[in-house]
Coordinates of all heavy atoms in Angstrom, one line a residue:
M646 N 2.9 -28.3 -23.8 CA 4.0 -27.2 -24.1 C 3.9 -26.2 -23.0 O 3.0 -25.5 -22.7 CB 3.9 -26.6 -25.5 CG 4.8 -25.7 -25.8 SD 4.7 -24.9 -27.5 CE 5.3 -26.5 -28.5
Q647 N 5.0 -25.9 -22.4 CA 5.1 -24.9 -21.2 C 5.1 -23.6 -21.7 O 5.8 -23.3 -22.8 CB 6.4 -25.2 -20.5 CG 6.5 -24.3 -19.3 CD 7.9 -24.5 -18.5 OE1 8.8 -25.3 -18.9 NE2 8.0 -24.1 -17.4
T648 N 4.5 -22.9 -21.2 CA 4.4 -21.3 -21.4 C 5.2 -20.4 -20.3 O 5.1 -20.8 -19.3 CB 2.9 -20.8 -21.7 OG1 2.3 -20.9 -20.4 CG2 2.2 -21.4 -22.7
F649 N 5.5 -19.3 -20.8 CA 6.2 -18.4 -19.9 C 5.6 -17.2 -20.0 O 5.1 -16.7 -21.1 CB 7.7 -18.2 -20.3 CG 8.5 -19.5 -20.0 CD1 8.7 -20.4 -21.2 CD2 9.0 -19.9 -18.9 CE1 9.4 -21.6 -21.0 CE2 9.9 -21.0 -18.8 CZ 10.1 -21.9 -19.8
D650 N 5.5 -16.4 -18.7 CA 5.0 -15.1 -18.8 C 6.1 -14.1 -18.6 O 6.8 -14.2 -17.6 CB 4.2 -15.0 -17.5 CG 3.4 -13.6 -17.3 OD1 3.5 -12.7 -18.0 OD2 2.5 -13.5 -16.3
V651 N 6.4 -13.3 -19.7 CA 7.6 -12.4 -19.7 C 7.0 -10.9 -20.0 O 5.9 -10.7 -20.5 CB 8.4 -12.7 -20.8 CG1 9.2 -14.2 -20.4 CG2 7.9 -12.7 -22.2
M652 N 7.9 -10.0 -19.6 CA 7.6 -8.6 -19.7 C 8.6 -8.1 -20.7 O 10.0 -8.3 -20.6 CB 7.6 -7.7 -18.4 CG 7.4 -6.4 -18.6 SD 5.7 -6.0 -19.2 CE 4.7 -6.5 -17.9
F653 N 8.3 -7.5 -21.9 CA 9.3 -6.7 -22.8 C 9.3 -5.3 -22.5 O 8.2 -4.8 -22.4 CB 8.9 -6.9 -24.2 CG 9.2 -8.3 -24.8 CD1 8.3 -9.4 -24.6 CD2 10.2 -8.5 -25.7 CE1 8.6 -10.7 -25.1 CE2 10.5 -9.6 -26.3 CZ 9.8 -10.8 -26.0
T654 N 10.4 -4.6 -22.3 CA 10.6 -3.4 -22.3 C 11.5 -2.7 -23.1 O 12.8 -3.3 -23.2 CB 10.9 -2.9 -20.9 OG1 10.1 -3.5 -19.9 CG2 10.8 -1.4 -20.7
V655 N 11.3 -1.8 -24.0 CA 12.0 -1.1 -24.9 C 12.4 0.3 -24.5 O 11.5 1.1 -24.0 CB 11.4 -1.1 -26.4 CG1 12.4 -0.4 -27.4 CG2 11.2 -2.6 -26.9
Y656 N 13.7 0.7 -24.6 CA 14.2 1.9 -24.0 C 14.8 2.6 -25.1 O 15.6 2.2 -26.0 CB 15.3 1.7 -23.0 CG 14.7 1.1 -21.6 CD1 14.7 -0.2 -21.5 CD2 14.5 1.8 -20.6 CE1 14.3 -0.7 -20.3 CE2 14.1 1.4 -19.3 CZ 13.9 0.0 -19.3 OH 13.5 -0.5 -18.0
L657 N 14.5 4.0 -25.1 CA 15.2 4.9 -26.0 C 16.2 5.7 -25.0 O 15.7 6.5 -24.2 CB 14.3 5.9 -26.8 CG 14.9 6.9 -27.6 CD1 15.8 6.2 -28.6 CD2 13.8 7.8 -28.2
G658 N 17.5 5.5 -25.1 CA 18.3 6.0 -24.0 C 18.1 5.3 -22.8 O 18.0 4.1 -22.7
E659 N 17.7 6.2 -21.7 CA 17.3 5.5 -20.5 C 15.9 5.6 -20.2 O 15.3 5.1 -19.2 CB 18.1 6.2 -19.3 CG 19.5 6.1 -19.4 CD 19.9 4.7 -19.1 OE1 19.4 3.9 -18.4 OE2 20.8 4.2 -20.1
Q660 N 15.0 6.1 -21.2 CA 13.6 6.2 -21.0 C 12.9 5.0 -21.7 O 13.0 4.8 -22.8 CB 13.1 7.5 -21.7 CG 13.4 8.8 -21.1 CD 12.7 8.8 -19.7 OE1 13.3 8.8 -18.7 NE2 11.4 9.2 -19.9
P661 N 12.1 4.4 -20.8 CA 11.3 3.3 -21.4 C 10.2 3.9 -22.5 O 9.6 4.9 -22.0 CB 10.5 2.6 -20.3 CG 10.7 3.6 -19.2 CD 11.8 4.5 -19.5
I662 N 10.2 3.4 -23.6 CA 9.2 3.9 -24.6 C 8.0 2.9 -25.1 O 7.0 3.3 -25.5 CB 10.0 4.4 -25.9 CG1 10.6 3.2 -26.6 CG2 10.7 5.5 -25.6 CD1 11.1 3.5 -27.9
R663 N 8.2 1.6 -24.5 CA 7.3 0.6 -24.9 C 7.4 -0.4 -23.9 O 8.6 -0.9 -23.7 CB 7.4 0.2 -26.5 CG 6.4 -0.8 -26.8 CD 6.3 -0.9 -28.3 NE 5.2 -1.9 -28.7 CZ 5.5 -2.9 -29.5 NH1 6.6 -3.0 -30.2 NH2 4.4 -3.8 -29.7
R664 N 6.2 -1.0 -23.5 CA 6.4 -2.1 -22.6 C 5.1 -3.0 -22.9 O 4.1 -2.5 -23.2 CB 6.2 -1.5 -21.1 CG 6.5 -2.6 -20.1 CD 6.5 -1.7 -18.9 NE 6.4 -2.7 -17.7 CZ 7.4 -2.9 -17.0 NH1 8.6 -2.3 -17.0 NH2 7.4 -3.9 -16.0
W665 N 5.4 -4.4 -22.8 CA 4.2 -5.2 -23.1 C 4.6 -6.6 -22.4 O 5.7 -6.9 -22.3 CB 3.9 -5.4 -24.6 CG 4.8 -6.2 -25.4 CD1 4.8 -7.6 -25.6 CD2 6.0 -5.7 -26.1 NE1 5.9 -7.9 -26.5 CE2 6.6 -6.6 -26.8 CE3 6.6 -4.4 -26.2 CZ2 7.7 -6.6 -27.6 CZ3 7.7 -4.3 -26.9 CH2 8.3 -5.4 -27.6
Q666 N 3.4 -7.2 -22.1 CA 3.5 -8.6 -21.6 C 3.1 -9.7 -22.6 O 2.3 -9.4 -23.4 CB 2.5 -8.7 -20.4 CG 2.6 -10.0 -19.5 CD 1.7 -10.1 -18.4 OE1 1.1 -9.1 -18.1 NE2 1.7 -11.2 -17.7
M667 N 3.8 -10.8 -22.5 CA 3.6 -11.9 -23.4 C 3.6 -13.2 -22.6 O 4.5 -13.4 -21.8 CB 4.7 -11.9 -24.5 CG 4.5 -12.9 -25.6 SD 5.8 -12.7 -26.8 CE 5.3 -13.7 -27.9
V668 N 2.5 -14.0 -22.9 CA 2.4 -15.4 -22.3 C 2.5 -16.3 -23.5 O 1.4 -16.3 -24.4 CB 1.2 -15.5 -21.3 CG1 1.1 -16.9 -20.8 CG2 1.3 -14.4 -20.3
A669 N 3.4 -17.1 -23.6 CA 3.8 -17.8 -24.9 C 4.7 -18.9 -24.5 O 5.5 -18.9 -23.6 CB 4.0 -17.0 -26.0
P670 N 4.7 -19.9 -25.4 CA 5.8 -20.8 -25.4 C 7.2 -20.3 -25.6 O 7.4 -19.1 -26.2 CB 5.5 -21.9 -26.6 CG 4.0 -21.8 -26.7 CD 3.7 -20.3 -26.4
Q671 N 8.3 -20.9 -25.2 CA 9.5 -20.2 -25.3 C 9.9 -19.9 -26.8 O 10.4 -18.9 -27.0 CB 10.7 -21.2 -24.6 CG 12.1 -20.7 -24.7 CD 13.0 -21.8 -24.2 OE1 12.7 -23.0 -23.9 NE2 14.2 -21.5 -24.2
E672 N 9.6 -20.6 -27.8 CA 9.9 -20.4 -29.1 C 9.4 -19.1 -29.5 O 9.9 -18.3 -30.4 CB 9.5 -21.6 -30.0 CG 10.1 -23.0 -29.7 CD 9.5 -23.7 -28.6 OE1 8.4 -23.4 -28.1 OE2 10.2 -24.5 -28.1
F673 N 8.1 -18.9 -29.3 CA 7.4 -17.6 -29.7 C 8.2 -16.4 -29.0 O 8.3 -15.3 -29.6 CB 5.9 -17.7 -29.4 CG 5.2 -18.7 -30.2 CD1 4.7 -19.8 -29.8 CD2 5.0 -18.3 -31.6 CE1 4.0 -20.7 -30.7 CE2 4.4 -19.2 -32.3 CZ 3.9 -20.5 -31.8
I674 N 8.6 -16.6 -27.7 CA 9.2 -15.4 -27.0 C 10.5 -15.2 -27.6 O 10.9 -14.0 -27.8 CB 9.4 -15.7 -25.5 CG1 7.9 -15.9 -25.0 CG2 10.2 -14.7 -24.8 CD1 7.8 -16.5 -23.6
I675 N 11.2 -16.3 -28.0 CA 12.5 -16.1 -28.7 C 12.5 -15.3 -29.9 O 13.1 -14.4 -30.4 CB 13.3 -17.4 -28.9 CG1 13.8 -18.1 -27.4 CG2 14.5 -17.2 -29.7 CD1 14.2 -19.4 -27.4
M676 N 11.4 -15.7 -30.7 CA 11.1 -15.1 -32.1 C 10.7 -13.6 -31.9 O 11.4 -12.7 -32.7 CB 10.0 -15.7 -32.8 CG 10.4 -17.1 -33.4 SD 9.0 -18.1 -34.3 CE 7.7 -17.0 -34.3
K677 N 10.1 -13.3 -30.9 CA 9.7 -11.9 -30.6 C 10.8 -11.0 -30.2 O 11.1 -9.9 -30.6 CB 8.6 -11.8 -29.7 CG 8.0 -10.3 -29.5 CD 7.4 -9.8 -30.8 CE 6.9 -8.5 -30.7 NZ 6.4 -7.8 -32.0
F678 N 11.7 -11.7 -29.4 CA 13.0 -10.9 -28.9 C 13.8 -10.7 -30.1 O 14.4 -9.7 -30.2 CB 13.5 -11.8 -27.8 CG 14.9 -11.3 -27.4 CD1 14.9 -10.2 -26.5 CD2 16.1 -11.8 -27.7 CE1 16.1 -9.5 -26.0 CE2 17.3 -11.2 -27.2 CZ 17.2 -10.2 -26.4
L679 N 14.0 -11.7 -31.0 CA 15.0 -11.5 -32.1 C 14.5 -10.5 -33.1 O 15.2 -9.7 -33.7 CB 15.2 -12.9 -32.8 CG 16.0 -13.9 -31.9 CD1 16.2 -15.3 -32.7 CD2 17.4 -13.3 -31.7
Q680 N 13.2 -10.5 -33.2 CA 12.5 -9.4 -34.1 C 12.9 -8.0 -33.6 O 13.2 -7.2 -34.3 CB 11.0 -9.5 -34.3 CG 10.6 -10.7 -35.1 CD 9.1 -10.9 -35.1 OE1 8.3 -10.4 -34.1 NE2 8.5 -11.4 -36.1
T681 N 12.6 -7.9 -32.2 CA 12.8 -6.7 -31.5 C 14.4 -6.2 -31.7 O 14.7 -5.1 -31.8 CB 12.4 -6.7 -30.2 OG1 11.0 -7.2 -30.2 CG2 12.4 -5.3 -29.5
V682 N 15.2 -7.2 -31.4 CA 16.7 -7.0 -31.5 C 17.1 -6.5 -32.9 O 17.7 -5.6 -33.0 CB 17.6 -8.3 -31.2 CG1 18.9 -8.1 -31.6 CG2 17.5 -8.5 -29.7
Q683 N 16.4 -7.1 -34.0 CA 16.8 -6.7 -35.3 C 16.4 -5.2 -35.6 O 17.0 -4.4 -36.2 CB 16.1 -7.6 -36.4 CG 16.8 -8.8 -36.4 CD 16.1 -9.9 -37.3 OE1 14.9 -9.7 -37.7 NE2 16.8 -10.9 -37.7
Q684 N 15.1 -5.0 -35.0 CA 14.6 -3.5 -35.1 C 15.5 -2.4 -34.5 O 15.9 -1.5 -35.0 CB 13.2 -3.4 -34.6 CG 12.2 -4.1 -35.4 CD 10.9 -4.2 -34.8 OE1 10.8 -3.8 -33.6 NE2 9.9 -4.7 -35.4
I685 N 15.9 -2.8 -33.2 CA 16.8 -2.0 -32.5 C 18.2 -1.7 -33.0 O 18.8 -0.8 -33.1 CB 17.0 -2.4 -30.9 CG1 15.5 -2.1 -30.4 CG2 18.1 -1.7 -30.2 CD1 15.5 -2.6 -29.0
A686 N 18.7 -3.0 -33.6 CA 20.1 -2.9 -34.2 C 20.3 -2.0 -35.3 O 21.2 -1.4 -35.7 CB 20.4 -4.4 -34.6
S687 N 19.0 -1.7 -36.0 CA 19.1 -0.9 -37.2 C 18.9 0.6 -36.9 O 19.0 1.4 -37.8 CB 17.9 -1.4 -38.3 OG 16.7 -1.1 -37.7
Q688 N 18.7 0.9 -35.6 CA 18.5 2.4 -35.2 C 19.8 3.0 -35.0 O 20.7 2.5 -34.4 CB 17.6 2.4 -34.0 CG 16.3 1.8 -34.2 CD 15.4 2.4 -35.2 OE1 15.4 3.7 -35.2 NE2 14.8 1.7 -36.0
S689 N 19.8 4.3 -35.2 CA 21.0 5.1 -35.0 C 21.1 5.7 -33.5 O 22.1 6.1 -33.0 CB 21.1 6.2 -36.0 OG 20.1 7.1 -35.9
Q690 N 19.8 5.7 -32.8 CA 19.8 6.3 -31.5 C 20.0 5.2 -30.6 O 19.8 3.9 -30.8 CB 18.4 6.8 -31.3 CG 17.9 7.8 -32.2 CD 16.5 8.0 -32.3 OE1 15.7 6.9 -32.4 NE2 15.9 9.2 -32.2
P691 N 20.6 5.4 -29.3 CA 20.9 4.3 -28.3 C 19.5 3.7 -27.9 O 18.8 4.4 -27.3 CB 21.6 5.0 -27.2 CG 21.3 6.4 -27.4 CD 21.0 6.8 -28.8
M692 N 19.4 2.4 -28.1 CA 18.2 1.8 -27.6 C 18.6 0.4 -27.1 O 19.6 -0.2 -27.3 CB 17.2 1.6 -28.9 CG 16.7 2.8 -29.5 SD 15.5 2.4 -30.8 CE 14.1 2.0 -29.7
K693 N 17.7 -0.1 -26.2 CA 17.8 -1.5 -25.7 C 16.4 -2.1 -25.4 O 15.4 -1.4 -25.4 CB 18.7 -1.5 -24.5 CG 17.9 -0.8 -23.3 CD 19.0 -0.9 -22.1 CE 18.4 0.0 -20.9 NZ 19.4 -0.1 -19.8
V694 N 16.4 -3.4 -25.5 CA 15.4 -4.2 -25.2 C 15.6 -5.1 -23.9 O 16.7 -5.6 -23.9 CB 14.7 -5.0 -26.2 CG1 15.7 -6.0 -26.8 CG2 13.4 -5.7 -25.9
I695 N 14.7 -5.2 -23.0 CA 15.0 -6.1 -21.7 C 13.8 -6.9 -21.9 O 12.6 -6.5 -21.8 CB 15.1 -5.4 -20.5 CG1 16.3 -4.5 -20.5 CG2 15.1 -6.2 -19.2 CD1 16.5 -3.6 -19.4
V696 N 14.0 -8.3 -21.7 CA 12.9 -9.2 -21.5 C 13.1 -9.9 -20.0 O 14.3 -10.2 -19.8 CB 12.9 -10.4 -22.4 CG1 11.9 -11.4 -22.2 CG2 12.8 -9.8 -23.8
S697 N 12.0 -9.9 -19.3 CA 12.2 -10.2 -17.8 C 11.1 -11.2 -17.3 O 10.0 -11.1 -17.9 CB 12.3 -8.9 -17.0 OG 11.2 -8.3 -16.9
R698 N 11.5 -12.0 -16.4 CA 10.4 -12.8 -15.8 C 10.9 -13.1 -14.4 O 12.0 -13.2 -14.1 CB 9.9 -14.0 -16.6 CG 11.1 -15.1 -16.7 CD 10.6 -16.3 -17.6 NE 11.6 -17.3 -17.6 CZ 11.7 -18.3 -16.8 NH1 10.9 -18.4 -15.9 NH2 12.7 -19.2 -16.8
D699 N 10.0 -13.7 -13.6 CA 10.4 -14.2 -12.3 C 10.3 -15.6 -12.3 O 9.3 -16.2 -12.9 CB 9.5 -13.7 -11.2 CG 9.7 -12.2 -10.9 OD1 10.7 -11.6 -11.3 OD2 8.7 -11.5 -10.5
E700 N 11.3 -16.4 -11.7 CA 11.2 -17.9 -11.5 C 11.2 -18.2 -10.1 O 12.0 -17.7 -9.3 CB 12.5 -18.4 -12.2 CG 12.5 -19.9 -12.2 CD 13.6 -20.5 -13.2 OE1 14.0 -19.7 -14.3 OE2 14.1 -21.5 -12.8
V701 N 10.4 -19.1 -9.7 CA 10.3 -19.5 -8.4 C 11.1 -20.8 -8.2 O 11.0 -21.7 -8.9 CB 8.7 -19.9 -8.1 CG1 8.6 -20.4 -6.6 CG2 7.9 -18.6 -8.2
I702 N 12.0 -20.7 -7.2 CA 12.9 -21.8 -6.8 C 12.7 -22.3 -5.5 O 12.3 -21.4 -4.5 CB 14.3 -21.5 -7.1 CG1 14.8 -20.4 -6.3 CG2 14.5 -21.3 -8.8 CD1 16.3 -20.3 -6.1
W703 N 13.2 -23.5 -5.2 CA 13.2 -24.0 -3.8 C 14.6 -23.8 -3.2 O 15.6 -24.2 -3.8 CB 12.7 -25.4 -3.8 CG 12.9 -25.8 -2.3 CD1 13.9 -26.7 -1.7 CD2 11.9 -25.6 -1.2 NE1 13.5 -27.0 -0.4 CE2 12.4 -26.2 0.0 CE3 10.8 -24.8 -1.2 CZ2 11.6 -26.3 1.1 CZ3 10.1 -24.7 0.2 CH2 10.6 -25.4 1.2
D704 N 14.7 -23.0 -2.2 CA 16.0 -22.8 -1.5 C 16.2 -23.9 -0.5 O 15.6 -23.8 0.5 CB 16.1 -21.3 -0.8 CG 17.4 -21.1 -0.3 OD1 18.1 -22.0 0.2 OD2 17.7 -19.9 -0.3
Q705 N 17.0 -24.8 -0.6 CA 17.2 -25.9 0.2 C 17.8 -25.5 1.6 O 17.6 -26.0 2.6 CB 17.9 -27.1 -0.4 CG 17.2 -27.8 -1.5 CD 18.0 -29.0 -2.1 OE1 19.2 -29.1 -1.7 NE2 17.4 -29.7 -2.8
F706 N 18.7 -24.4 1.4 CA 19.4 -23.9 2.6 C 18.4 -23.2 3.6 O 18.5 -23.5 4.8 CB 20.5 -23.0 2.2 CG 21.2 -22.4 3.4 CD1 22.1 -23.2 4.1 CD2 21.1 -21.0 3.8 CE1 22.9 -22.7 5.2 CE2 21.8 -20.5 4.8 CZ 22.7 -21.4 5.6
E707 N 17.5 -22.4 3.1 CA 16.5 -21.7 3.9 C 15.3 -22.4 4.0 O 14.4 -22.0 4.8 CB 16.3 -20.3 3.4 CG 17.5 -19.5 3.4 CD 17.3 -18.0 3.1 OE1 16.1 -17.6 3.1 OE2 18.3 -17.3 2.7
Q708 N 15.1 -23.6 3.1 CA 13.9 -24.4 3.3 C 12.6 -23.5 2.9 O 11.7 -23.7 3.7 CB 13.8 -25.1 4.7 CG 14.8 -26.1 4.8 CD 14.6 -27.3 3.9 OE1 13.7 -27.8 3.8 NE2 15.7 -27.5 3.1
K709 N 12.7 -22.7 1.9 CA 11.5 -22.0 1.5 C 11.6 -21.6 0.0 O 12.8 -21.6 -0.6 CB 11.4 -20.7 2.3 CG 12.5 -19.6 2.2 CD 12.2 -18.4 3.0 CE 13.4 -17.3 2.7 NZ 13.1 -16.2 3.4
Q710 N 10.6 -21.2 -0.7 CA 10.6 -20.8 -2.0 C 11.2 -19.4 -2.2 O 10.9 -18.5 -1.2 CB 9.2 -20.8 -2.5 CG 8.7 -22.2 -2.8 CD 7.4 -22.1 -3.5 OE1 6.6 -21.1 -3.5 NE2 7.0 -23.2 -4.3
K711 N 11.9 -19.0 -3.1 CA 12.4 -17.8 -3.5 C 12.0 -17.5 -4.9 O 11.9 -18.3 -5.7 CB 14.0 -17.7 -3.3 CG 14.3 -17.7 -1.9 CD 15.9 -17.5 -1.9 CE 16.3 -17.2 -0.5 NZ 17.8 -16.9 -0.5
I712 N 11.9 -16.2 -5.1 CA 11.6 -15.6 -6.4 C 12.8 -15.0 -7.1 O 13.4 -14.1 -6.4 CB 10.5 -14.6 -6.6 CG1 9.2 -15.3 -6.0 CG2 10.4 -14.0 -7.8 CD1 8.1 -14.3 -5.9
I713 N 13.4 -15.6 -8.2 CA 14.7 -15.1 -8.7 C 14.2 -14.3 -10.0 O 13.6 -14.9 -10.9 CB 15.6 -16.3 -9.1 CG1 15.8 -17.1 -7.8 CG2 16.8 -15.8 -9.8 CD1 16.6 -16.5 -6.7
P714 N 14.6 -13.2 -10.1 CA 14.3 -12.4 -11.4 C 15.3 -12.9 -12.6 O 16.6 -13.0 -12.3 CB 14.7 -10.8 -11.0 CG 15.5 -11.0 -9.8 CD 15.3 -12.3 -9.2
C715 N 14.8 -13.2 -13.6 CA 15.5 -13.7 -14.9 C 15.4 -12.5 -16.0 O 14.3 -12.2 -16.3 CB 15.1 -15.0 -15.4 SG 15.3 -16.2 -14.2
T716 N 16.5 -12.0 -16.5 CA 16.4 -11.0 -17.5 C 17.4 -11.4 -18.6 O 18.3 -12.1 -18.4 CB 16.8 -9.5 -17.0 OG1 18.1 -9.6 -16.5 CG2 15.7 -9.2 -16.0
M717 N 17.1 -10.8 -19.7 CA 17.9 -10.9 -20.9 C 17.8 -9.6 -21.7 O 16.7 -9.1 -21.7 CB 17.4 -12.1 -21.8 CG 18.2 -12.2 -23.2 SD 17.8 -13.7 -24.1 CE 16.0 -13.5 -24.3
E718 N 18.9 -9.1 -22.1 CA 18.8 -7.8 -22.7 C 19.9 -7.6 -23.9 O 20.8 -8.4 -24.0 CB 19.0 -6.6 -21.6 CG 20.4 -6.2 -21.5 CD 20.4 -5.0 -20.5 OE1 19.9 -5.1 -19.3 OE2 20.9 -3.9 -21.0
F719 N 19.4 -6.7 -24.8 CA 20.3 -6.4 -26.0 C 20.3 -4.9 -26.1 O 19.3 -4.2 -25.9 CB 19.7 -6.9 -27.3 CG 20.4 -6.5 -28.6 CD1 21.5 -7.0 -28.9 CD2 19.9 -5.3 -29.2 CE1 22.2 -6.4 -30.0 CE2 20.4 -4.9 -30.4 CZ 21.6 -5.4 -30.8
Q720 N 21.3 -4.3 -26.3 CA 21.5 -2.9 -26.5 C 22.4 -2.6 -27.8 O 23.3 -3.4 -28.1 CB 22.0 -2.2 -25.3 CG 23.4 -2.7 -24.8 CD 23.7 -2.0 -23.5 OE1 22.9 -1.4 -22.9 NE2 24.8 -2.2 -23.0
N721 N 22.0 -1.4 -28.5 CA 22.9 -1.1 -29.7 C 23.9 -0.3 -29.6 O 24.3 0.4 -30.5 CB 21.8 -0.7 -30.8 CG 21.2 0.7 -30.5 OD1 21.4 1.2 -29.5 ND2 20.4 1.2 -31.4
Y722 N 24.4 -0.1 -28.3 CA 25.4 1.0 -28.1 C 26.4 0.5 -27.2 O 26.4 -0.6 -26.6 CB 24.9 2.4 -27.6 CG 24.0 2.1 -26.3 CD1 24.7 2.2 -25.0 CD2 22.7 1.8 -26.3 CE1 23.8 2.0 -23.8 CE2 21.8 1.8 -25.1 CZ 22.5 1.8 -23.9 OH 21.7 1.7 -22.8

């Protein structure tokens, strides 16, 4: 089973208030993201969560590896 190394960051307004790293299979990362989304959705203050990771790809045009940032986010405002 493939694991992914992701970073979760929770913001209150524009200020990051919590940040943690998770190395886990995709299913566990999705479950944690959805739990965090449910918590944020119930808040009256403007909040968001961003999950990010870097993906290494091969650029055939430049004939070299590139790092592409991948992010997913939810905000309640």
